[in-house]
Amino acid sequence: MLTELWLTIGMKISHKLLLSFVSISLLTSVVGVVAIAQSKKIAETLAIKEAEEVAQVLATSIVHHSATHGESIFSNELQTYVLQLHHLQRRDIEVVNRETRIVADVVPDDIGTILEGKQGKEVQKTIQDGQTRTLLENSDDYPQGIELIVVPLKRDQNQIDGAVILEWSSLYEEAIAQVQPTIIIIAITSLSCVILALTLGWQISSSIAKPLQSMTDVAQTVTQKSNFDLKVPIITKDETGLLAIAFNHLIERVKTLLAEKEQRSEELQQALSDLHNTQLQLVQTEKMSSLGQLVAGVAHEINNPVNFIYGNIIHIDKYTQDLLKLLQAYQYQYPNPPQTLQKILDDIELDFLYEDLSKLLQSMRVGTQRIRQIVLSLRNFSRLDEAECKAVDLHEGLDNTLLILQHRLKDTSESFAIEVIKNYGQLPLVECYPAQLNQVFMNVLLNAIDAVEESAQQQTTAKLWISTQLIADNQVQILIADNGTGIPEKMRSRIFEPFFTTKPTGKGTGLGLSISYKIITEKHHGKMWFESRLGEGSEFIIAIPVHQCEISG
Ligand SMILES: Nc1ncnc2c1ncn2[C@@H]1O[C@H](COP(=O)(O)OP(=O)(O)O)[C@@H](O)[C@H]1O
Ligand SMILES: [Mg+2]
């Protein structure tokens, strides 16, 4: 209970220790004082005992003397006897009768006087109750006072005839002198104990408190500033030293644990972002692959009938030319046909038919040729058969993509025409993943079209520039620029982030550029960046190596 209370007191350990040692020293001094007082008391008791014995002997002698000489106990002999005793013992002696009148005294002039005052009262008490008393007499003769002892004068147990008053200062002093060395030893020992306790207390408390304090300081700094490089100084080799070593180990351990934790969370973060990206790519790849399949399927389905039509147009042309030739021959042979025939000839407007039929056939030929071209582009764009690394003509890919985007470039009721300015350089065949690269062209071109459409509402001719060139280090560079809105400064750092979009929901997904960036940098070991001026337009630059199929495996 008490220990619990002691532990719960809100006090520093050093103060508690110091308090304990101060208490111990106080206790020691109290014990010392008590011991000294006790020694004095013992000395006093011994002195009293001796004085009592002397007084008793005196009393017995007086009584005996009177008995043997058959006189009253207070005879003249008594005075002589007292003087003799005084001579022997060198002490003041007075004998009083029951009325406290002095009957014998070392100072004979005092005989006959009655003791009065305090002394008289005390003596009277002893005569009444038979108890020995001590008292301090202050008189003109003894300004410092003399110690007196009053012993009853008894002839037998029942009768008190008076009292013997004996001076016992010297006895007392003697006794005190005897215990003096003991008292000094006790005093010195107690004092030494107090000093020792205090110094030890101070030493121990500071030897415990100081390391503890420095440990507390270090612990606080470590937690507040997260500085795990701090160490507790190891001053001693005792428990506090061991504690300091253990504490330093603890800090070290926490540091490594935190580092591990940090690394693990970084790994997790990385894994998460990888997962995210993979997911994105999967979604996009899946989207593009189903789009590709659809496109390829449609292209394939259209291809046969179109070829069939295209192939037959030549024959139709020939057959109709033949038929027309035949008709002309008939007209030549029969310049005046019968009425009914002439009527039909007028109705069908033969001259117009001659003229229009060849035009019609010509436009049909152009139309089917166009369809064939589109089908080819669609097949090329989807390039389902070309999932692996392959050397291709990049211009073909760009053109195919443009062809697919034709509907966004043409002047329609919903939008206006966008001028495309191509500036193709001399490029070798470039090793790449064609389908994926086309996807990049598509994303960048779509963004450019969105940007010019948005800004063209402010009266500018919408333009796209597509240029290619072979640059140093066997690299090709594709630049796709627009005079669209441009990219605001604060968004520039974010446009390659997945899901970053400024377009309304449903229109933008924020995936185009992030996927394109991945395709260029990771799949093609290339670079992709952009330059932009707000309100003037943007330019996206893609650079990829000419050869890489070997490296990519
Ligand atoms: N040519 C460009 N001009 C202006 N802003 C562009 C251009 N290209 C991309 N951006 C900006 O980058 C954002 C992200 O593009 P992208 O990843 O393709 O996603 P999305 O087109 O779905 O918004 C766009 O929302 C747009 O703000
Ligand atoms: Mg986009």
Side-chain angles (χ1 to χ4, degrees):
M1 192 62 195
L2 207 66
T3 33
E4 264 174 36
L5 190 74
W6 179 240
L7 288 174
T8 48
I9 289 176
M11 209 190 243
K12 284 185 171 181
I13 287 189
S14 57
H15 292 176
K16 281 187 187 175
L17 271 171
L18 220 59
L19 192 69
S20 312
F21 279 99
V22 166
S23 316
I24 290 172
S25 53
L26 270 179
L27 215 66
T28 316
S29 42
V30 166
V31 168
V33 168
V34 167
I36 290 170
Q38 204 58 35
S39 308
K40 275 191 164 177
K41 182 101 187 135
I42 290 167
E44 199 180 289
T45 316
L46 284 176
I48 290 174
K49 199 120 188 103
E50 202 180 327
E52 252 179 11
E53 266 166 27
V54 170
Q56 216 75 58
V57 166
L58 186 63
T60 323
S61 306
I62 291 168
V63 174
H64 182 72
H65 183 85
S66 65
T68 31
H69 292 83
E71 293 167 7
S72 138
I73 59 165
F74 304 125
S75 63
N76 288 340
E77 292 293 319
L78 184 62
Q79 178 61 17
T80 328
Y81 197 64
V82 162
L83 287 175
Q84 272 176 3
L85 259 176
H86 174 63
H87 191 68
L88 276 173
Q89 300 270 328
R90 297 228 154 267
R91 272 182 210 125
D92 277 358
I93 302 167
E94 276 174 341
V95 181
V96 292
N97 63 12
R98 281 189 67 87
E99 289 81 40
T100 69
R101 189 185 296 277
I102 299 174
V103 287
D105 197 324
V106 287
V107 186
D109 292 349
D110 288 348
I111 294 173
T113 48
I114 290 178
L115 290 179
E116 278 168 2
K118 196 179 152 228
Q119 192 187 355
K121 273 185 194 148
E122 292 297 305
V123 173
Q124 192 64 56
K125 277 187 207 162
T126 299
I127 293 168
Q128 296 292 319
D129 59 14
Q131 297 288 320
T132 302
R133 278 189 174 71
T134 58
L135 55 104
L136 189 72
E137 188 200 321
N138 289 306
S139 63
D140 297 341
D141 301 339
Y142 308 104
Q144 282 155 5
I146 50 166
E147 299 281 349
L148 296 176
I149 184 162
V150 186
V151 183
L153 193 63
K154 291 179 188 171
R155 230 175 308 183
D156 56 53
Q157 281 306 95
N158 303 322
Q159 196 184 343
I160 298 170
D161 295 301
V164 178
I165 302 156
L166 183 75
E167 184 239 322
W168 67 293
S169 297
S170 56
L171 257 182
Y172 176 75
E173 274 152 25
E174 239 170 64
I176 290 292
Q178 267 179 11
V179 292
Q180 200 71 15
T182 321
I183 289 175
I184 290 172
I185 288 171
I186 291 175
I188 290 174
T189 316
S190 304
L191 201 68
S192 317
C193 280
V194 169
I195 293 170
L196 195 70
L198 285 178
T199 354
L200 268 181
W202 180 257
Q203 280 289 327
I204 293 176
S205 87
S206 57
S207 76
I208 291 175
K210 253 191 211 154
L212 280 183
Q213 188 57 45
S214 77
M215 230 178 288
T216 315
D217 291 346
V218 169
Q220 275 170 350
T221 324
V222 165
T223 41
Q224 275 163 11
K225 299 191 177 158
S226 294
N227 179 358
F228 294 95
D229 294 323
L230 287 180
K231 290 271 173 298
V232 179
I234 297 156
I235 315 163
T236 57
K237 286 185 176 172
D238 55 15
E239 284 90 335
T240 52
L242 291 177
L243 187 62
I245 293 171
F247 192 74
N248 286 344
H249 283 163
L250 194 69
I251 296 179
E252 197 66 35
R253 186 87 189 100
V254 171
K255 187 181 166 186
T256 37
L257 278 179
L258 275 180
E260 276 171 21
K261 196 188 126 206
E262 205 139 296
Q263 199 196 337
R264 205 148 301 162
S265 85
E266 257 167 39
E267 281 168 10
L268 272 177
Q269 202 66 37
Q270 185 59 41
L272 195 69
S273 112
D274 285 354
L275 198 71
H276 203 211
N277 285 339
T278 320
Q279 187 193 18
L280 284 182
Q281 211 149 17
L282 263 177
V283 170
Q284 187 71 4
T285 314
E286 182 55 32
K287 210 166 82 184
M288 288 315 276
S289 122
S290 36
L291 180 70
Q293 279 176 2
L294 189 78
V295 166
V298 170
H300 179 76
E301 286 308 316
I302 295 173
N303 197 34
N304 284 344
V306 162
N307 276 343
F308 174 72
I309 295 169
Y310 183 77
N312 286 339
I313 281 179
I314 303 159
H315 301 297
I316 291 175
D317 196 15
K318 190 167 178 304
Y319 296 160
T320 45
Q321 289 304 327
D322 290 347
L323 283 173
L324 287 176
K325 243 188 246 168
L326 182 71
L327 208 60
Q328 276 172 339
Y330 269 109
Q331 272 186 323
Y332 186 73
Q333 282 293 326
Y334 305 100
N336 298 310
Q339 190 85 42
T340 45
L341 208 60
Q342 187 60 47
K343 173 113 184 24
I344 298 170
L345 281 173
D346 289 346
D347 280 353
I348 59 172
E349 291 178 60
L350 196 63
D351 291 339
F352 175 74
L353 194 144
Y354 278 147
E355 216 179 290
D356 207 36
L357 191 63
S358 57
K359 274 195 206 160
L360 213 88
L361 283 169
Q362 178 58 28
S363 64
M364 273 172 77
R365 190 178 300 120
V366 172
T368 41
Q369 231 159 12
R370 182 126 183 77
I371 295 174
R372 272 160 51 92
Q373 222 176 22
I374 290 172
V375 167
L376 192 70
S377 298
L378 285 177
R379 293 178 75 184
N380 279 344
F381 176 79
S382 62
R383 287 205 187 249
L384 277 184
D385 47 337
E386 291 167 15
E388 79 280 9
C389 193
K390 194 173 176 182
V392 294
D393 179 2
L394 288 190
H395 296 149
E396 207 177 281
L398 282 166
D399 288 340
N400 289 332
T401 314
L402 278 175
L403 200 78
I404 288 169
L405 292 174
Q406 205 56 43
H407 68 288
R408 300 269 323 254
L409 300 170
K410 268 190 296 192
D411 195 359
T412 62
S413 54
E414 286 149 37
S415 61
F416 42 84
I418 298 169
E419 193 184 334
V420 178
I421 302 152
K422 293 189 210 170
N423 184 14
Y424 290 169
Q426 281 283 329
L427 290 193
L429 293 184
V430 176
E431 293 180 353
C432 64
Y433 296 88
Q436 293 193 4
L437 213 54
N438 286 348
Q439 195 181 326
V440 173
F441 297 152
M442 174 79 109
N443 284 331
V444 176
L445 282 168
L446 271 175
N447 282 344
I449 293 170
D450 285 344
V452 290
E453 273 184 357
E454 202 184 321
S455 81
Q457 288 152 5
Q458 301 148 16
Q459 299 246 315
T460 27
T461 337
K463 282 184 191 160
L464 301 187
W465 289 267
I466 305 175
S467 27
T468 59
Q469 58 181 8
L470 184 67
I471 55 165
D473 283 347
N474 250 342
Q475 296 241 339
V476 283
Q477 213 174 52
I478 303 116
L479 297 97
I480 298 175
D482 64 72
N483 62 348
T485 50
I487 302 164
E489 183 85 49
K490 62 173 194 250
M491 292 180 187
R492 291 189 190 163
S493 59
R494 302 195 53 202
I495 66 161
F496 286 118
E497 274 177 24
F499 302 113
F500 176 79
T501 180
T502 54
K503 294 168 195 171
T505 9
K507 194 169 182 210
T509 57
L511 290 177
L513 285 184
S514 75
I515 298 221
S516 302
Y517 189 81
K518 255 181 117 61
I519 291 176
I520 296 302
T521 56
E522 288 176 20
K523 199 84 188 180
H524 290 91
H525 311 104
K527 285 188 197 129
M528 181 170 182
W529 69 100
F530 67 93
E531 274 151 28
S532 183
R533 271 198 223 170
L534 196 60
E536 290 183 28
S538 320
E539 181 175 42
F540 281 80
I541 304 114
I542 295 162
I544 54 168
V546 175
H547 302 288
Q548 63 170 302
C549 288
E550 294 275 293
I551 318 162
S552 330

